[in-house]
Amino acid sequence: MFKVPNPFDELVKKTTSEMLTAENWELIMEVCDRVGTDSERARQCFEVINERMLHRNANVVLYTVTLVQSLLENCGQSVKQEVSSRAFTTTLTRVLNDKSVHEKVKSRILGSIQQWAFDFRQDPTLSLMEETYTKLRAQRFVFPPPQKPEKISTASDVERQKEEDDLQLALALSLSTDGAGAVKQSYQTPAAIRSEITRKQTVASTTGLAR
């Protein structure tokens, strides 16, 4: 029987490629955008993710864990269901029980399981992750100290932060003084304001040297 190709196969493999030297956030966000809140696309994506989690290259597995965390932070409930599914939790346990897997990979996975179990604790439909965590503790797996995960920035987060920084800078310098010390109301673009700051810093530095 002809197997229908998975639409996420190429993209997820490219996003978690062993040829990468660091996470490719552009590709990660592309995966997140494609999955969105659609349950079928989430299922298709995790079919490939499960395969990548079993890859023999440690970096591939680490990139895949990062992708999963990004999907959780940027997509809907369907992704949480996939992370807490029997298929994915079984894959996680399989990797942890594989003696050939690097300890750094195991530590990263244990930390993620611990965090996901905590995050999902209020939702009974996601209870399998907490069950997995409990079973692993009973098997004497050593979990890393709990810590608050870093929020993964999106492109919109970066743009929004830049706009806020520019606004704060403009507000702080919207009032300037003339040569007599009087307050003068003026409007300047953020670029012009930064240029003015640089000019004043240069003048101050020159004046200090002159003394």
Side-chain angles (χ1 to χ4, degrees):
M1 181 180 292
F2 178 74
K3 182 179 179 181
V4 179
N6 188 315
F8 284 90
D9 188 70
E10 183 178 351
L11 179 57
V12 170
K13 287 180 178 178
K14 187 177 180 181
T15 304
T16 60
S17 172
E18 60 268 38
M19 302 302 292
L20 295 172
T21 56
E23 290 90 347
N24 186 318
W25 290 103
E26 183 178 351
L27 289 175
I28 289 172
M29 295 316 300
E30 184 178 346
V31 177
C32 293
D33 289 341
R34 283 203 196 180
V35 172
T37 58
D38 187 274
S39 59
E40 177 60 19
R41 289 197 290 266
R43 183 192 64 77
Q44 292 170 332
C45 184
F46 270 81
E47 281 185 0
V48 188
I49 283 175
N50 273 294
E51 294 176 4
R52 301 302 279 174
M53 287 295 299
L54 298 173
H55 200 281
R56 307 315 298 177
N57 185 289
N59 285 331
V60 170
V61 182
L62 292 172
Y63 293 149
T64 304
V65 175
T66 296
L67 175 59
V68 172
Q69 184 61 40
S70 299
L71 286 164
L72 282 170
E73 296 205 10
N74 290 280
C75 301
Q77 181 71 10
S78 56
V79 167
K80 294 181 181 180
Q81 296 286 355
E82 291 298 329
V83 172
S84 294
S85 68
R86 182 70 62 184
F88 189 64
T89 54
T90 297
T91 296
L92 294 175
T93 302
R94 179 177 171 183
V95 176
L96 290 171
N97 283 303
D98 187 338
K99 294 182 179 180
S100 67
V101 174
H102 196 283
E103 287 303 314
K104 181 179 179 181
V105 174
K106 291 185 178 182
S107 179
R108 175 77 181 279
I109 291 174
L110 287 168
S112 295
I113 290 173
Q114 180 172 249
Q115 185 62 50
W116 296 336
F118 179 80
D119 292 342
F120 301 164
R121 69 193 185 285
Q122 301 295 337
D123 189 340
T125 67
L126 307 176
S127 61
L128 192 54
M129 183 58 68
E130 189 170 2
E131 290 177 21
T132 301
Y133 170 70
T134 302
K135 288 178 181 178
L136 291 171
R137 284 187 64 88
Q139 293 172 24
R140 299 187 182 280
F141 278 93
V142 179
F143 287 84
Q147 60 181 1
K148 185 177 181 180
E150 294 183 9
K151 186 181 185 301
I152 296 176
S153 298
T154 64
S156 59
D157 290 333
V158 174
E159 286 299 319
R160 184 163 50 249
Q161 186 60 49
K162 183 178 183 299
E163 289 176 4
E164 290 177 358
D165 290 345
D166 286 343
L167 178 59
Q168 291 299 322
L169 186 59
L171 288 174
L173 296 173
S174 60
L175 290 177
S176 61
T177 59
D178 59 20
V183 175
K184 177 180 64 178
Q185 183 73 32
S186 64
Y187 172 79
Q188 293 175 284
T189 64
I193 292 170
R194 289 194 180 94
S195 178
E196 180 67 10
I197 291 175
T198 302
R199 186 188 69 79
K200 289 181 178 180
Q201 288 175 338
T202 302
V203 171
S205 176
T206 303
T207 302
L209 289 174
R211 291 176 185 173

